[in-house]
Amino acid sequence: VAVNEHIYVMGRAFGCQVSAEAYFAKPCAAGLCSGWTQTSSLPYAVSFIDAAVVEGCLHIYVPGGAVCDVSPKDTVLHASPITPGEGPLGPWSQVDSSPLPNGTAANVTLAAQGHVYAIGGRFLEPAIKDVYYAPVRPDHSLGPWVNDPSVYLPRALNEASGAVWRDRLLVTGGFFTNEQGTVDFSSNVY
């Protein structure tokens, strides 16, 4: 995720070796102006995550994730405020007041209009087309997650990518299991 003139990466997996590490670097016209620097680690090792930053509050939210071959998590992680102009993150915490309606991993995470969105994903289980969203409260906690079928993706997707553009949520790529039970990759933009 990119915020406050820095790029952040967190959590990773190599097989079943999962990490809680988080790093940041500063981009510039020539690429990266600095190497990667370790910052506050996630509270537990997790992979198949995505992150979003809510505009104006500089807090990072990470809904879901998975650890190796364990079912997807319904937890949401949150990084404390980022000092403007500096890269290090404050400590991470779990948002206990607002778990996801169902565990998910390999989902798209976006933030727009004062909400955090967890879209599609699922990991070792069949992909889902669900779109969960929660409002960000003034104290940066999350309100209850909404699971509204009227805004679901047209098809279930794992490991898609997403972006916010002109107040629209865009989701593209990813993969799904087709009617024949084989994996297909999506080139659609929703």
Side-chain angles (χ1 to χ4, degrees), residues 86-185:
E86 296 180 20
L89 296 177
W92 287 88
S93 61
Q94 186 170 308
V95 180
D96 293 324
S97 62
S98 189
L100 291 162
N102 295 295
T104 189
N107 55 280
V108 174
T109 302
L110 298 171
Q113 300 293 317
H115 289 77
V116 175
Y117 296 83
I119 303 168
R122 199 54 159 194
F123 188 50
L124 293 173
E125 301 170 23
I128 59 173
K129 57 185 175 180
D130 301 34
V131 175
Y132 307 137
Y133 57 93
V136 178
R137 296 177 174 151
D139 67 356
H140 309 296
S141 65
L142 296 178
W145 288 89
V146 175
N147 183 7
D148 179 359
S150 72
V151 297
Y152 280 6
L153 291 169
R155 77 162 5 122
L157 288 174
N158 263 316
E159 297 187 35
S161 294
V164 178
W165 183 70
R166 295 187 179 178
D167 295 330
R168 294 173 192 242
L169 305 178
L170 302 174
V171 176
T172 187
F175 66 91
F176 59 95
T177 304
N178 65 24
E179 293 78 23
Q180 291 78 33
T182 60
V183 172
D184 273 340
F185 293 90

Side-chain angles (χ1 to χ4, degrees), residues 18-62:
V18 181
S19 172
E21 295 172 349
Y23 296 87
F24 70 93
K26 187 168 186 158
C28 64
L32 290 180
C33 291
S34 64
W36 293 95
T37 303
Q38 190 165 3
T39 187
S40 302
S41 292
L42 298 164
Y44 50 80
V46 64
S47 61
F48 295 97
I49 59 174
D50 198 7
V53 175
V54 175
E55 188 175 337
C57 79
L58 302 181
H59 287 241
I60 298 175
Y61 297 87
V62 178

